[in-house]
């Protein structure tokens, strides 16, 4: 694979592909040099078919997306690929990604370059999402950004002085596994360890805590809804909806979630010293557009600021991220753009 097809100078005619590989779907976008999405498509991952099949279909979708964007393939500079799970970023290899079972030790970066015909920048999906916020999102101009994404688990990405921090072993930002409870009966995290942030403040943690409160016969408008729920992953949305109606238990659950999240954030602040913390992902309780989302964010700020140095509290910004599910592919394209810029200067 060579760079012969790509232009040698960055200008408005240069385009970048961003790919967000997930356990369920693969999201692909074509972006211009300013970060504008020109086309977007999503295709099933079909994890059970294996990484070779998925990578070939990914490459086919790249060419389809280019066609739908109405641009020439010669204007595409590079692909950015964001992936979950453990990985070896320098070698471009997935290691043992938990939500991509059977994809162990697969050289996905080089395989995608081979099948697509474009060079590929490989990244963890958490840092890719953070870079989207740094590039064209709610953290433009910030020199120290930490993005926490709340969903089934807790993802994290860090952008420091314009560059994502991957860590020495490609595991930087696994902050959902920060230890916040050292008691012997601390909650179990899905990774098999006790007391991790993810066990308390992820959507899974919220669902488990809510179910336990309902089982304890605490009075709430949540009770009939939770007991009738077909799946536990429906519960966080119910908590949000009942909190919007003023249910005391639902509000308590959200405030406790903010407090647990603050514990993890405090450790990050005293380690990284960022200028900005952003909260994103699927579980933001309505974000800035709802009274519950604003309450959640204010509680996080309150709990964080009373536990960190005053000098830091006066300078730190805590807010919601701009992008939701689109952050992954946007950030991956942005990282491809950054990588290309660094190599042509």
């Amino acid at each position: 694979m060579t760079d012969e097809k790509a232009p040698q100078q960055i200008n408005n005619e240069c385009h970048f592909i961003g790919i967000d590989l997930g356990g369920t779907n693969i999201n692909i976008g074509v972006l211009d040099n300013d970060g504008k999405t020109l086309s977007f498509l999503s295709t099933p991952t079909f994890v059970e078919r294996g990484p070779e099949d998925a990578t070939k279909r990914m490459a086919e979708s790249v060419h389809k997306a280019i066609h739908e964007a109405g641009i020439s393939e010669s204007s595409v500079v590079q692909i950015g690929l964001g992936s979950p799970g453990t990985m070896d970023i320098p070698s471009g290899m997935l290691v043992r990604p938990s939500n991509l079972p059977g994809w162990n030790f697969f050289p996905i970066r080089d395989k995608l370059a081979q099948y697509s015909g474009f060079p590929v920048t490989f990244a963890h999906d958490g840092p890719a999402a953070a870079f989207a916020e740094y590039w064209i999102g709610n953290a433009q101009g910030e020199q120290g950004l930490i993005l926490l994404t709340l969903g089934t688990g807790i993802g994290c990405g860090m952008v420091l002085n314009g560059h994502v921090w991957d860590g020495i072993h490609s595991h930087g930002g696994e902050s959902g596994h920060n230890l916040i409870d050292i008691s012997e009966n601390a909650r179990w995290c899905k990774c098999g360890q006790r007391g991790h942030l993810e066990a308390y403040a992820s959507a899974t943690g919220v669902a488990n805590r809510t179910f336990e409160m309902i089982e304890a016969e605490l009075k709430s408008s949540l009770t009939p809804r939770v007991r009738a729920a077909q799946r536990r992953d429906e519960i966080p949305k119910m908590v949000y909806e009942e909190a919007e109606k003023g249910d005391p238990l639902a509000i308590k659950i959200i405030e406790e979630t903010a407090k647990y999240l603050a514990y993890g954030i405090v450790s990050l602040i005293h380690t990284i010293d960022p200028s900005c913390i952003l909260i994103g992902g699927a579980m933001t309780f309505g974000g800035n557009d709802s009274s519950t989302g604003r309450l959640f964010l204010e509680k996080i700020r309150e709990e964080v600021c009373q536990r960190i140095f005053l000098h830091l509290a006066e300078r730190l910004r805590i807010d919601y991220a701009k992008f939701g599910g689109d952050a992954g592919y946007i950030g991956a394209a942005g990282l491809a753009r950054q990588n290309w810029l660094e190599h042509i200067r």
Side-chain angles (χ1 to χ4, degrees):
M1 166 59 213
T2 69
D3 295 349
E4 293 176 359
K5 295 170 66 175
Q8 296 302 306
Q9 294 182 353
I10 283 286
N11 55 54
N12 290 332
E13 300 304 316
C14 294
H15 299 98
F16 304 87
I17 311 294
I19 302 177
D20 182 17
L21 169 62
T24 303
N25 294 304
I26 302 168
N27 294 333
I28 300 173
V30 178
L31 283 73
D32 66 15
N33 186 46
D34 296 322
K36 179 182 178 182
T37 299
L38 305 180
S39 70
F40 171 83
L41 59 86
S42 183
T43 185
T45 307
F46 295 131
V47 174
E48 68 281 0
R49 296 185 186 177
E52 195 82 35
D53 174 83
T55 307
K56 288 179 179 178
R57 289 186 295 105
M58 202 183 300
E60 292 170 0
S61 295
V62 162
H63 292 285
K64 181 179 178 181
I66 293 171
H67 176 75
E68 291 183 358
I71 62 173
S72 67
E73 295 208 352
S74 63
S75 73
V76 175
V77 171
Q78 195 163 138
I79 292 173
L81 170 64
S83 173
T86 55
M87 59 185 63
D88 183 338
I89 292 174
S91 69
M93 183 176 294
L94 295 171
V95 180
R96 294 185 182 91
S98 59
N99 56 348
L100 299 171
W103 291 33
N104 299 349
F105 303 101
F106 182 72
I108 193 166
R109 181 194 63 198
D110 293 346
K111 284 288 187 178
L112 180 57
Q114 174 188 340
Y115 294 139
S116 69
F118 298 104
V120 177
T121 296
F122 185 46
H124 197 287
D125 55 1
F131 195 81
E133 296 293 335
Y134 169 78
W135 180 29
I136 57 172
N138 200 18
Q140 295 180 65
E142 299 284 358
Q143 292 307 301
L145 163 67
I146 297 175
L147 170 69
L148 291 167
T149 54
L150 310 182
T152 305
I154 295 180
C156 180
M158 296 178 283
V159 182
L160 308 176
N161 297 318
H163 293 270
V164 297
W165 172 246
D166 293 319
I168 302 305
H169 305 103
S170 304
H171 283 64
E174 291 286 354
S175 302
H177 301 285
N178 283 2
L179 189 63
I180 67 166
D181 185 350
I182 62 171
S183 64
E184 291 183 0
N185 61 344
R187 292 180 177 277
W188 286 103
C189 180
K190 65 179 181 180
C191 74
Q193 300 292 332
R194 285 187 181 270
H196 291 183
L197 176 63
E198 199 168 278
Y200 292 81
S202 67
T204 303
V206 168
N208 291 339
R209 286 169 33 234
T210 302
F211 189 80
E212 290 167 9
M213 291 181 181
I214 296 303
E215 288 297 289
E217 302 293 339
L218 296 179
K219 292 183 179 180
S220 170
S221 58
L222 275 168
T223 302
R225 298 190 64 186
V226 169
R227 288 180 174 168
Q230 298 296 312
R231 304 190 316 269
R232 283 207 179 185
D233 60 7
E234 300 172 341
I235 294 177
K237 183 181 179 183
M238 296 175 185
V239 172
Y240 160 60
E241 290 170 346
E242 296 307 317
E244 283 285 276
K245 299 173 186 177
D247 180 77
L249 183 62
I251 293 171
K252 178 182 178 181
I253 292 166
I254 288 172
E255 289 183 335
E256 285 186 350
T257 304
K259 189 172 184 177
Y260 289 131
L261 190 60
Y263 293 162
I265 290 173
V266 166
S267 294
L268 288 169
I269 290 169
H270 286 148
T271 304
I272 305 298
D273 184 20
S275 59
C276 178
I277 302 279
L278 294 183
I279 309 298
M283 191 185 71
T284 57
F285 305 112
N288 283 320
D289 294 330
S290 77
S291 59
T292 301
R294 293 190 292 272
L295 169 70
F296 182 57
L297 191 65
E298 188 53 41
K299 187 66 174 176
I300 294 171
R301 289 178 180 141
E302 175 188 324
E303 296 289 345
V304 167
C305 289
Q306 69 183 18
R307 290 175 171 81
I308 62 175
F309 298 133
L310 178 62
H311 180 77
L312 299 179
E314 292 174 340
R315 291 161 174 78
L316 179 70
R317 182 167 73 94
I318 302 178
D319 204 346
Y320 283 118
K322 176 180 179 180
F323 301 115
D326 292 339
Y329 83 82
I330 292 172
L335 287 171
R337 174 182 179 274
Q338 182 187 60
N339 185 48
W340 178 260
L341 282 168
E342 291 176 349
H343 281 84
I344 66 171
R345 283 173 178 164

